[in-house]
Amino acid sequence: MRDRRPKAHRPGLALGGGASRGWAHLGVIRFLSEQGIEPSCVAGTSIGAVVGALLASGRLEYALGEIMKADLIRVLSYVSPGLRDGGLIDSWKIHNLLRAWFGHVDIADLRMPFAAVATDLSSGDTVVLDSGDLVSALMASISIPVVFPPRFTQGRWLMDGGLSDPVPVAPARGLGADFVIAVSLNSRTRGLPSTGSAPDSTQPVEAESSRPPSMHETLLATLMITERNLANSRLSENRPEVLIEPDLYMFKGTEFHRAAELSEIGYEAARNCSLLLEPLRR
């Protein structure tokens, strides 16, 4: 007799970029774990690639304590000015931190299929890094223009993946996912559950203070605006099964010391999408 039970899904995560807002991914992953939903693969852009790599390597718990305990002083110690090699920030401290977390591991040796998304500096094309040295791939994916220097990886100069694919749904499908849970960090919506439609909020956002933003804050905000507009277009063309949009517009991209708050908001946004995740519980 033919088995008529529904075929089990292969859930995959598509974790978007958004600088410090990426700590919201931690809460999303925590909620999924509590629900017994285990991703079969993960693709990430920029900070989403870092969090995705922690998950795929089984190092998330190892790094979580350091992420949650990081205060402003510790965060600032990683962003020393460095006016060389095409970037405003000395990226070697970030590189050394990632080496401490991951060591010299190849992407092919991770516990689940993983891809970091970067952008070819010459062509503007999306580059999916799903093989080779993990830290090199992550450094390419997080290389925010002007802030960090471009990275020469696998024969090309690469920059931040948010310039070409801010929420990497297609790369997640390319890893074998047939049920993509995407997390977009730069939406101006209020974290309402979505079945894959692109955000459409036009609510004005008031400035939280009269202090002018710093150069780094301005650069990150500009990139996140660009990523939001591009993500709207890309998500309309290639919709995930579930789109989680945490309410993060009041967080600056430089607030890496607010990991606990960001994680909780990500958790609540995922919980708001609980009914849409029901097919994965069967």
Side-chain angles (χ1 to χ4, degrees), residues 39 44 55 72 75 78 98 139 151 161 196 208-209 212 214 229 244 261:
L55 177 65
L72 183 57
V75 170
Y78 287 106
L98 294 179
M139 288 301 297
R151 305 290 297 190
E208 62 178 2
S209 76
S214 69
N229 293 334
I244 300 173
E261 297 171 72

Side-chain angles (χ1 to χ4, degrees), residues 96-198:
N96 291 338
L97 174 64
L98 294 179
R99 281 291 178 211
W101 283 355
F102 298 107
H104 293 270
V105 64
D106 193 279
I107 293 174
D109 296 327
L110 297 178
R111 296 183 178 185
M112 68 177 70
F114 168 79
V117 174
T119 303
D120 189 303
L121 188 59
S122 298
S123 66
D125 293 339
T126 298
V127 178
V128 178
L129 299 168
D130 56 5
S131 63
D133 179 63
L134 176 61
V135 170
S136 295
L138 296 179
M139 288 301 297
S141 186
I142 67 172
S143 290
I144 299 169
V146 183
V147 178
F148 293 129
R151 305 290 297 190
F152 191 73
T153 304
Q154 298 185 8
R156 308 185 251 200
W157 287 103
L158 301 179
M159 291 293 293
D160 191 290
L163 295 170
S164 58
D165 197 353
V167 186
V169 174
R173 295 200 194 282
L175 293 174
D178 63 7
F179 191 107
V180 176
I181 304 166
V183 187
S184 179
L185 303 174
N186 297 321
S187 169
R188 290 172 65 182
T189 61
R190 289 278 178 176
L192 298 176
S194 171
T195 56
S197 59

